[in-house]
């Protein structure tokens, strides 16, 4: 702890921002590659279940070897490359934000356009990481809140792109939240367990009721798991504000998106990013927001 106290809060905030740029670059890889890896694994599993000797003889179903012949790139081992020309990127091409600006949003080798997602995710991760350390300091709360923030950014990014919330992100978030409660970092263990249970069951119940009334699925199971994870970090008291904030944000953003794109109201809009936004806000400022809200009604 003496080492942590050796630097002032502004210094640690700057360090967190710089680290956030690097982590943001990695999160871009996770957002782009993790869904492909999951789909690839699911295809292999489906092939194992559906493949029969008759299928192999008449060639109607590709073999497992055929499916496995072109696996998507891994998240950690494979180096970064241009998705268009597949040229391996040099170190100077991978400097967070600066490389994108220097290259003017185009690949140095084939001149293909580079998505603005890359600098946006890097900047967002840097800013949110700095805010987290400014709020909690270089403490166990701050370190855990950084992990919380990074997982939410990755999960929200994947949900926006693919409308999936992978278990490989929501489950670790849930278990780390429960383990943190053993040390009373944010909430007590009892509150964490109740928050996880009520978080899952609340959206699951809404899902079942909506499906019963309309015959349609209003949300995915990933949303239940994400809210359960948020409940594990912040307890059951945070669930209602998180759902309200995310619903308002989702309704506003969804309306703007549909109006700008000219889409129909039946177009599905992912709910996970708004849960992530609301959960992050409540972790950092929930107590302040609650006190402010109550003060509006408890004034003498």
């Amino acid at each position: 702890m003496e080492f942590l106290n050796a630097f002032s809060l502004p210094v640690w905030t700057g360090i967190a921002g710089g680290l956030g740029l690097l982590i943001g670059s990695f999160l871009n890889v996770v957002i782009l590659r993790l869904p492909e890896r999951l789909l690839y694994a699911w295809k292999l599993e489906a092939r194992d279940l559906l493949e029969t000797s008759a299928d192999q003889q008449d060639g109607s179903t590709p073999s497992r070897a055929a499916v496995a012949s072109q696996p998507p790139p891994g998240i950690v081992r494979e180096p970064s490359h241009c998705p268009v020309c597949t040229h391996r990127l040099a170190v100077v091409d991978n400097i967070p934000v600066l490389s994108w600006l220097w290259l003017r949003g185009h690949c140095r080798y084939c001149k293909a356009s580079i998505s603005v997602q890359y600098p946006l995710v890097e900047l967002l991760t840097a800013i949110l990481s700095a805010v987290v350390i400014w709020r909690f300091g270089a403490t166990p709360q701050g370190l855990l809140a950084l992990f919380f923030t990074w997982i939410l950014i990755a999960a929200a990014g994947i949900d926006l792109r693919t409308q999936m919330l992978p278990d490989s992100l929501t489950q670790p978030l849930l278990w780390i939240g429960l383990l943190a409660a053993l040390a009373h970092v944010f909430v007590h263990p009892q509150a964490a367990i109740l928050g996880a249970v009520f978080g899952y069951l609340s959206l699951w119940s809404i899902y079942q009721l909506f499906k019963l009334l309309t015959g349609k699925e209003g949300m995915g199971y990933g949303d239940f798991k994400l809210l359960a994870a948020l409940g594990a970090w912040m307890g059951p008291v945070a669930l209602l504000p998180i759902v309200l904030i995310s619903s308002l944000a989702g309704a506003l953003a969804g309306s703007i998106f549909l109006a700008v794109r000219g889409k129909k109201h039946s177009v599905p809009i992912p709910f996970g990013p708004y849960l992530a936004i609301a959960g992050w806000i409540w972790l950092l400022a929930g107590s302040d927001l609650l006190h402010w809200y109550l003060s509006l009604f408890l004034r003498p």
Side-chain angles (χ1 to χ4, degrees):
M1 295 301 295
E2 292 182 0
F3 171 76
L4 295 179
N5 295 329
F7 299 104
S8 64
L9 182 58
V11 172
W12 279 119
T13 301
I15 293 174
L19 177 63
L21 285 174
L22 300 177
I23 296 297
S25 181
F26 174 70
L27 293 183
N28 271 315
V29 175
V30 173
I31 291 170
L32 294 172
R33 295 187 183 180
L34 180 57
E36 294 182 358
R37 299 290 298 181
L38 292 175
L39 290 173
Y40 174 72
W42 294 338
K43 287 180 180 179
L44 292 182
E45 293 174 2
R47 195 59 56 194
D48 288 338
L49 293 173
L50 301 176
E51 191 176 62
T52 62
S53 58
D55 293 330
Q56 293 177 3
Q57 291 175 2
D58 63 19
S60 61
T61 303
S63 66
R64 178 183 175 91
V67 176
S69 62
Q70 295 180 339
I75 295 175
V76 177
R77 292 184 178 180
E78 279 80 357
S80 298
H81 60 274
C82 174
V84 177
C85 67
T86 69
H87 195 289
R88 180 172 177 174
L89 302 183
V91 175
V92 294
D93 301 324
N94 271 324
I95 302 174
V97 180
L98 295 179
S99 291
W100 190 87
L101 294 174
W102 176 57
L103 295 171
R104 297 182 180 179
H106 292 83
C107 173
R108 185 154 61 97
Y109 307 99
C110 68
K111 307 305 178 183
S113 177
I114 302 174
S115 173
V116 73
Q117 170 192 314
Y118 292 94
L120 287 181
V121 170
E122 291 162 356
L123 280 174
L124 177 66
T125 308
I127 293 171
L128 297 189
S129 298
V131 172
V132 162
I133 295 303
W134 184 263
R135 170 66 177 83
F136 294 114
T139 63
Q141 279 187 322
L143 296 178
L144 283 169
L146 283 178
F147 171 82
F148 178 85
T149 301
W150 298 338
I151 291 292
L152 288 184
I153 291 174
I158 290 174
D159 201 16
L160 279 173
R161 288 177 56 88
T162 65
Q163 295 186 10
M164 289 193 305
L165 280 172
D167 288 348
S168 52
L169 295 178
T170 57
Q171 288 186 359
L173 190 66
L174 169 65
W175 291 114
I176 295 298
L178 292 174
L179 289 174
L182 293 177
H184 299 182
V185 177
F186 294 103
V187 294
H188 296 288
Q190 195 172 27
I193 294 172
L194 291 175
V197 172
F198 292 157
Y200 187 92
L201 290 179
S202 59
L203 289 188
W204 179 85
S205 301
I206 295 174
Y207 165 88
Q208 295 294 344
L209 180 61
F210 184 82
K211 187 175 182 180
L212 180 64
L213 295 176
T214 66
K216 301 178 181 179
E217 297 182 354
M219 63 183 70
Y221 276 68
D223 297 322
F224 316 160
K225 298 171 186 178
L226 179 56
L227 187 59
L230 297 179
W233 281 74
M234 291 169 277
V237 176
L239 294 176
L240 181 58
I242 287 174
V243 171
L244 290 176
I245 294 173
S246 58
S247 298
L248 291 173
L252 178 61
S255 300
I256 295 174
F257 171 79
L258 294 175
V260 171
R261 295 292 183 91
K263 302 287 185 179
K264 297 181 180 179
H265 290 281
S266 59
V267 174
I269 296 175
F271 190 46
Y274 307 109
L275 284 174
I277 292 171
W280 188 84
I281 290 174
W282 201 259
L283 183 73
L284 269 71
S287 58
D288 295 333
L289 291 174
L290 184 60
H291 291 155
W292 170 79
Y293 181 78
L294 292 176
S295 67
L296 297 177
F297 300 94
L298 299 179
R299 289 179 179 176

